[in-house]
Amino acid sequence: MMSSSSFKEIPAMAYPRTLVSIVASAGGLAVFLLIASSLLISGPIGSTFSSYFYGVVDHTEKDDLLSSGDGSGNRDAFEAFRSNLTIRNNSDSGDAVVESQIGEMKPGDSRNMRGQEKVVNVTNNAEKGSTNVQKNNTNGANLTDSVNTDCDLYAGKWVYDSTGPLYTNSSCPVLTQMQNCQGNGRPDKEYENWRWKPAQCNLPQFDAMKFLELMSGKTLAFVGDSVARNQMESLLCILWQVEVPKNRGNKKMQRYYFRSTSTMIVRIWSSWLVHQTPEPFDFAPTGVDKLHLDLPDERFMEFVPNFDVIVLSSGHWFAKKSVYILNNEIVGGQLWWPDKSRQMKVNNVDAFGISVETIVTAMLKHPNYTGLTILRSFSPDHYEGGAWNTGGSCTGKEKPAVDKDLVENGFTNIMHEKQVAGFNKAIKKQTNKSKAILMDITKAFSYRHDGHPGPYRSPDPNKITKRGPDGRPPPQDCLHWCMPGPVDTWNELVFEILRREFVAKKSNPS
């Protein structure tokens, strides 16, 4: 054992050398951290950093009916967004605050880039005129405002709003490049300036700060196909104007956390919303998707009790090759029915209706779910003159259709009919304390043939955007929606539904 006198025998330079080595080590670590931080901030390095900003998605996810590109557009969008930001330190909280140089709007400004709104009253659903221009000085409804819960939100018309959208393609880093119509070179912008006006009331413009306040401590989940992703990204773009969220995604879901109000926005991929498997079943071989129409998709059902609001989206994948199973029996198929001697009992339209009844019933009977389910009705596509792969086109549409020019889509109409019927059947089976609402946008959005990317699906400067010498249109997307664009209205409708449910019902509990 060393005595106290032993310390005197240690050379005098030992302490300084030890101190120097500690300082040197700390300094080296600091330099390393600074260099690493600089590299991470300057650009994405590998999939880990990319997934931080763009969400971690299961790579087995079949994310689009159409080709979705290599995803490089998201990185380009983030770089463009980052170049327009200044980060300053908030001395009060020590937190980094992001200031946008794109306009006068700053985080916390509840105008959401709109300011005073000018509304042009129109007739025939979408026709600009010189009649009666009104100034609306409100910035969206207050959470405590009275709510007209009897007003039908889905019967109305499109009105022109010259103040423009709630965000721009350059002010949101998370939108999918295929829906970045302006970034992909679309020359017109008027499609961004139409707002939905219910016939008997006003649909308040979206107020991001008030939305986060309303959803304080809650989680909203978008579950479904690539159109669900389209709507989720629209909501994120709107909210991004007031707060940059923390990405907490993983391989099972995308998750964006807004710290100011502890609000979580989630997306989970589910092509058909019912159980699916590629495994062989009876006379259906391996490879083709088998859909158990009477079983919900278990991949997201396990998370349902954690959600306060669920927005469901499906329908378009029922045009894809698949086998339909009901009560453990193959009853039909889409683009697949090898034995013509067997009678097909269920076609793709009927299968969609059954799947809707199944998933909504699962929500309304889940023993641990007390939230609100919003079933967004079938989103119409606008492939005129053919299907997406047979020459259908929406090229050249620059404003909403008027009644006399509206092209009826028989497939959209029957899909909507089956969806509504399935929803109504499910409502009668409810056993829990949750609630389901049909957000019926199909008719209103049948007028918005102008709101799709069309041929402007990528930033490729050499892409073909005009019809060829034989009159055939170029490849295009007339299913998903430009961002910003009409899809933002879906989230204004969601906000109004939530106001009615969370605010009006508290004020009038009867």
Side-chain angles (χ1 to χ4, degrees):
M1 181 175 177
M2 182 180 293
S3 67
S4 59
S5 61
S6 301
F7 286 103
K8 297 180 181 179
E9 299 174 3
I10 298 175
M13 290 298 294
Y15 289 108
R17 284 175 180 169
T18 303
L19 181 60
V20 168
S21 64
I22 293 173
V23 171
S25 299
L29 179 60
V31 170
F32 171 78
L33 291 174
L34 285 172
I35 293 173
S37 300
S38 175
L39 287 173
L40 284 173
I41 293 171
S42 64
I45 299 177
S47 60
T48 301
F49 188 73
S50 295
S51 65
Y52 174 83
F53 286 101
Y54 314 124
V56 181
V57 184
D58 187 342
H59 294 295
T60 63
E61 174 180 301
K62 294 182 266 186
D63 198 38
D64 262 316
L65 291 170
L66 308 171
S67 173
S68 59
D70 63 1
S72 60
N74 271 341
R75 293 189 292 273
D76 295 340
F78 173 72
E79 291 301 327
F81 176 75
R82 185 167 57 83
S83 67
N84 285 310
L85 295 179
T86 300
I87 300 180
R88 63 179 172 80
N89 189 61
N90 186 329
S91 58
D92 294 331
S93 64
D95 296 328
V97 179
V98 179
E99 294 183 327
S100 172
Q101 297 176 347
I102 296 165
E104 293 301 315
M105 188 279 304
K106 295 182 176 62
D109 185 343
S110 62
R111 291 177 301 157
N112 284 320
M113 300 181 69
R114 277 184 181 266
Q116 292 186 342
E117 178 184 24
K118 295 180 180 179
V119 178
V120 179
N121 288 337
V122 298
T123 59
N124 224 4
N125 280 289
E127 187 174 329
K128 281 197 296 181
S130 58
T131 60
N132 193 17
V133 178
Q134 303 176 10
K135 287 186 177 180
N136 181 354
N137 292 320
T138 63
N139 291 323
N142 290 318
L143 297 183
T144 54
D145 286 351
S146 60
V147 180
N148 181 4
T149 57
D150 295 327
C151 171
D152 183 354
L153 293 174
Y154 315 111
K157 60 188 177 183
W158 291 97
V159 297
Y160 189 77
D161 174 12
S162 61
T163 58
L166 295 163
Y167 59 94
T168 69
N169 65 303
S170 60
S171 71
C172 178
V174 292
L175 63 87
T176 296
Q177 187 62 40
M178 284 187 71
Q179 279 79 69
N180 185 0
C181 298
Q182 291 300 303
N184 292 338
R186 180 168 171 171
D188 62 299
K189 293 192 66 170
E190 192 168 294
Y191 65 89
E192 296 181 347
N193 295 344
W194 294 88
R195 297 195 70 238
W196 180 246
K197 172 65 174 69
Q200 298 178 342
C201 59
N202 289 315
L203 177 63
Q205 70 182 58
F206 197 104
D207 189 305
M209 296 295 290
K210 292 172 185 173
F211 176 87
L212 290 174
E213 179 185 345
L214 184 65
M215 288 295 295
S216 179
K218 296 182 174 64
T219 296
L220 185 154
F222 292 94
V223 181
D225 51 21
S226 56
V227 185
R229 182 200 63 209
N230 206 171
Q231 183 177 359
M232 183 272 288
E233 289 180 355
S234 163
L235 179 60
L236 285 177
C237 285
I238 297 171
L239 298 178
W240 208 283
Q241 309 311 305
V242 298
E243 182 179 346
V244 177
K246 169 73 173 177
N247 189 309
R248 292 185 174 177
N250 54 47
K251 289 186 176 181
K252 291 187 176 181
M253 68 180 79
Q254 288 178 289
R255 299 191 303 171
Y256 290 87
Y257 179 70
F258 292 84
R259 189 172 59 179
S260 66
T261 57
S262 299
T263 301
M264 187 80 80
I265 305 299
V266 170
R267 181 178 80 94
I268 301 178
W269 174 264
S270 178
S271 306
W272 290 277
L273 297 179
V274 293
H275 175 69
Q276 65 182 88
T277 176
E279 300 300 321
F281 186 93
D282 197 1
F283 61 95
T286 302
V288 62
D289 285 306
K290 290 87 180 173
L291 308 183
H292 291 260
L293 299 176
D294 49 358
L295 298 176
D297 188 346
E298 72 285 352
R299 291 177 299 178
F300 75 85
M301 287 301 296
E302 63 176 300
F303 302 110
V304 164
N306 301 321
F307 301 147
D308 300 283
V309 182
I310 299 175
V311 180
L312 298 175
S313 169
S314 67
H316 290 282
W317 276 76
F318 283 87
K320 302 283 283 185
K321 183 178 181 179
S322 51
V323 179
Y324 304 140
I325 300 172
L326 198 59
N327 297 320
N328 280 322
E329 176 190 356
I330 294 178
V331 293
Q334 169 65 3
L335 303 178
W336 181 91
W337 195 252
D339 189 350
K340 304 302 180 184
S341 66
R342 294 173 179 259
Q343 181 183 3
M344 190 189 311
K345 301 176 183 178
V346 175
N347 61 22
N348 65 327
V349 174
D350 291 329
F352 176 51
I354 296 169
S355 74
V356 170
E357 180 181 356
T358 294
I359 191 59
V360 176
T361 298
M363 297 293 104
L364 294 175
K365 298 184 77 171
H366 196 296
N368 299 317
Y369 178 57
T370 59
L372 171 66
T373 300
I374 299 175
L375 177 67
R376 198 211 62 245
S377 69
F378 189 75
S379 176
D381 63 62
H382 292 92
Y383 291 101
E384 297 182 12
W388 69 272
N389 58 348
T390 59
S393 171
C394 54
T395 300
K397 307 297 184 182
E398 297 184 359
K399 61 177 63 177
V402 294
D403 283 329
K404 64 183 180 66
D405 297 326
L406 187 63
V407 177
E408 286 292 328
N409 187 319
F411 181 71
T412 292
N413 293 342
I414 190 64
M415 290 290 277
H416 177 255
E417 177 184 318
K418 295 293 185 180
Q419 185 181 35
V420 172
F423 177 83
N424 289 334
K425 290 178 182 177
I427 291 295
K428 299 176 183 178
K429 301 178 182 180
Q430 180 170 5
T431 59
N432 65 15
K433 295 182 179 181
S434 72
K435 184 172 183 179
I437 290 176
L438 177 67
M439 192 174 90
D440 198 352
I441 57 89
T442 305
K443 179 65 175 177
F445 276 74
S446 65
Y447 291 93
R448 295 310 308 269
H449 57 187
D450 59 322
H452 303 289
Y456 299 98
R457 305 183 304 164
S458 80
D460 180 6
N462 299 316
K463 62 180 172 289
I464 300 173
T465 60
K466 306 294 183 182
R467 290 180 181 269
D470 59 355
R472 290 182 62 82
Q476 53 195 283
D477 180 359
C478 303
L479 168 62
H480 301 97
W481 302 94
C482 290
M483 294 174 52
V487 67
D488 302 322
T489 299
W490 293 356
N491 289 315
E492 290 189 318
L493 289 167
V494 166
F495 187 18
E496 181 62 10
I497 289 171
L498 297 182
R499 279 211 321 132
R500 291 181 175 194
E501 291 301 312
F502 296 165
V503 178
K505 297 299 170 64
K506 286 183 179 179
S507 302
N508 303 288
S510 58

